[in-house]
Amino acid sequence: MPIYKTIFSESKTIIHVWKIEETMEALREGLTLTENSVSRLEGMKSVLHQKGFLSVRKLLKHAGYEDADLYYNEYGKPFLRDDMHISITHSFDFAAILISSREAGIDIEKNREKIVNIQHRFVNTEVDSLSDEDLVKQLTVIWGAKESMYKTYPYGGLSFHDHIGINPFLFADGRSSGRVIFDDWKKEYEIRFEFFKEGFTLVHAMLKS
């Protein structure tokens, strides 16, 4: 399947989502990979990760870029050579990229019960807004929002629990706001989220203008 969904947001921001249903051969077809990408791909032991990697390159091509237009800093943050901001995510059967004129991050997660057992690692100020109803989905939104904000930070050392927060939200609104406060990095973000019928949650965060 090619593009599963395209989302247009504010400030020249576009999100492309791919549902991974193809074989490795089909995903590789038509792609020109750099030597570094070939090396990374061949070093992946999981076929799931390989398919996620190739799906992201398919999305790049769909957005008008080539693999060579993408590079990473020493902390693993991706950049585009035309200075547009990019964020990348993949989880099981889905991959997505976000391209924006603003600092922004994206995350997609499968809704899984195991997140309840690790909530103490990333839930902090949000604890008062949690309820037992749809707890897995609530926690997945919080994790996805924090992961999205984390991805805008170009260096290492951030803690989901200590340095990143999200304000209370309602599923029906599909939005919230959040912040990253760490050393000299004090920034506020707009949060958007939605749920896929396949049991996944997509979240993205954009720096407030």
Side-chain angles (χ1 to χ4, degrees):
M1 179 178 183
I3 298 298
Y4 174 82
K5 191 168 197 174
T6 295
I7 302 166
F8 296 92
S9 193
E10 305 91 12
S11 299
K12 298 180 180 178
T13 300
I14 189 168
I15 295 168
H16 296 300
V17 182
W18 190 285
K19 188 174 183 183
I20 307 168
E21 298 178 332
E22 300 84 354
T23 63
M24 284 285 294
E25 292 73 21
L27 286 170
R28 185 71 181 264
E29 186 178 352
L31 293 180
T32 302
L33 301 179
T34 64
E35 289 185 11
N36 182 60
S37 287
V38 171
S39 178
R40 287 181 61 193
L41 182 65
E42 292 176 347
M44 295 176 183
K45 296 180 180 179
S46 165
V47 173
L48 197 64
H49 289 163
Q50 290 176 329
K51 286 187 173 184
F53 183 90
L54 290 174
S55 297
V56 167
R57 271 66 196 170
K58 285 286 194 184
L59 289 169
L60 277 172
K61 187 170 184 178
H62 179 79
Y65 294 92
E66 296 293 336
D67 184 42
D69 295 320
L70 179 70
Y71 67 99
Y72 297 80
N73 72 3
E74 60 184 300
Y75 299 97
K77 179 175 170 59
F79 294 87
L80 289 172
R81 300 196 185 279
D82 65 0
D83 294 329
M84 289 289 283
H85 296 279
I86 183 169
S87 186
I88 293 169
T89 184
H90 53 83
S91 175
F92 293 93
D93 300 330
F94 286 94
I97 64 171
L98 176 153
I99 298 172
S100 179
S101 60
R102 290 157 63 180
E103 291 179 18
I106 190 170
D107 188 51
I108 188 166
E109 298 287 343
K110 189 174 184 178
N111 303 329
R112 296 187 288 173
E113 292 287 341
K114 63 181 292 186
I115 198 169
V116 176
N117 299 325
I118 63 167
Q119 60 179 298
H120 63 280
R121 300 181 186 176
F122 65 93
V123 174
N124 189 357
T125 57
E126 304 84 11
V127 69
D128 292 337
S129 64
L130 293 177
S131 65
D132 291 334
E133 185 178 7
D134 290 322
L135 181 59
V136 170
K137 289 172 69 174
Q138 290 180 70
L139 291 172
T140 305
V141 170
I142 292 171
W143 175 274
K146 292 194 173 192
E147 177 74 21
S148 298
M149 289 184 278
Y150 176 89
K151 287 180 176 180
T152 70
Y153 187 70
Y155 315 109
L158 274 187
S159 162
F160 279 28
H161 184 278
D162 299 331
H163 306 134
I164 311 176
I166 175 175
N167 294 324
F169 56 87
L170 297 174
F171 288 157
D173 292 340
R175 65 176 58 201
S176 183
S177 57
R179 72 210 65 82
V180 175
I181 301 175
F182 184 58
D183 291 339
D184 294 333
W185 190 281
K186 297 177 176 63
K187 298 191 177 183
E188 299 284 332
Y189 296 84
E190 300 168 2
I191 309 294
R192 302 286 186 274
F193 61 88
E194 62 179 272
F195 306 109
F196 294 172
K197 66 180 184 299
E198 292 86 350
F200 287 75
T201 298
L202 179 73
V203 189
H204 69 280
M206 291 187 295
L207 185 69
K208 284 188 176 181
S209 55

